[in-house]
């Protein structure tokens, strides 16, 4: 990636749109805001690293030819858009949904460290997804291959610890960013207690 001048990950939270086109527009606006440029200077899309399809896959964005790391996640009513100077993964989850998930997606260490706390389990799940998005393979990789320690702010994957940043933008939401330890700025709001 080229030199973007951005020194932190900027995560924008907003209401979900009706479709992928709305997500793309929101991503373009988030990149433009983070780069302090007009939206016309931003190019963005998706590409699948496996089939080269552009109707799905990893999002990408450039500003005047300079690549930015981007990632997005949506959950009921909320969209999270991450813009970074390098590769980034973001995931946003509802605590109520993940707390009801089967325990077979969590490692024994995660189950022990969380002691059944739904918020910690949601953070573990979101960290797994964020790390795997940053890796580029996403859920093509078994989530059990990632062991998250929320208190330490790390996700152990393929023999090394990846720093993760955990945020609680609302009581029922957990947001996790994987960006190699860069500082994270969360902008926007979540309304209605969502």
């Amino acid at each position: 990636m080229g030199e973007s001048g951005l020194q932190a990950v900027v995560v924008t939270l907003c209401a979900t749109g009706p479709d992928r086109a709305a997500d793309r527009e929101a991503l373009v606006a988030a990149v433009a805001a983070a780069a302090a440029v007009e939206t016309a200077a931003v190019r963005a899309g998706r590409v699948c690293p496996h089939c080269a399809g552009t109707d799905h896959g990893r999002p990408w964005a450039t500003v005047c030819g300079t690549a930015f790391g981007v990632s997005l996640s949506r959950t009921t009513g909320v969209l999270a858009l991450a813009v970074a100077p390098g590769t980034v993964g973001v995931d946003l989850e509802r605590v109520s949904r993940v707390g009801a998930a089967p325990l077979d997606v969590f490692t024994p260490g995660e189950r022990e460290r969380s002691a059944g706390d739904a918020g910690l389990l949601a953070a573990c799940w979101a960290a797994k997804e964020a790390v795997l998005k940053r890796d580029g393979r996403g859920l093509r990789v078994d989530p059990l291959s990632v062991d998250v320690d929320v208190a330490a702010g790390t996700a152990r994957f393929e023999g090394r610890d990846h720093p993760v940043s955990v945020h609680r933008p609302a009581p029922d939401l957990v947001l996790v960013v994987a960006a190699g330890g860069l500082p994270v700025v969360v902008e926007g709001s979540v309304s209605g207690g969502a």
Side-chain angles (χ1 to χ4, degrees):
M1 283 189 195
E3 183 60 40
S4 69
L6 192 60
Q7 300 297 313
V9 179
V10 178
V11 178
T12 303
L13 298 176
C14 58
T16 54
D19 53 29
R20 285 187 185 260
D23 287 353
R24 184 189 171 287
E25 287 178 29
L27 179 63
V28 167
V31 172
V37 299
E38 296 294 322
T39 56
V42 178
R43 300 288 175 259
R46 288 182 172 269
V47 66
C48 176
H50 305 286
C51 73
T54 58
D55 62 335
H56 64 282
R58 187 179 206 151
W60 61 268
T62 62
V63 175
C64 301
T66 298
F68 281 73
V70 293
S71 184
L72 61 92
S73 180
R74 55 172 36 223
T75 191
T76 308
V78 186
L79 178 65
L81 303 147
V83 181
T87 309
V88 62
V90 68
D91 196 56
L92 178 69
E93 298 289 348
R94 292 235 174 249
V95 173
S96 55
R97 288 185 58 220
V98 177
L103 289 178
D104 63 356
V105 299
F106 300 108
T107 67
E110 291 165 343
R111 289 193 305 267
E112 182 180 322
R113 288 185 295 271
S114 72
D117 181 284
L120 290 174
L121 288 172
C124 286
W125 178 253
K128 289 172 184 277
E129 286 212 58
V131 166
L132 294 174
K133 284 179 180 181
R134 183 172 192 246
D135 172 71
R137 292 178 281 176
L139 290 176
R140 291 177 182 267
V141 175
D142 183 355
L144 285 171
S145 67
V146 181
D147 183 62
V148 179
D149 185 334
V150 174
T154 61
R156 186 127 186 104
F157 175 56
E158 294 186 336
R160 68 183 195 91
D161 289 333
H162 299 263
V164 294
S165 178
V166 179
H167 304 267
R168 294 294 301 266
D172 191 41
L173 285 175
V174 64
L175 169 75
V176 179
V177 178
L182 286 173
V184 175
V185 176
V186 179
E187 299 179 342
S189 63
V190 181
S191 63

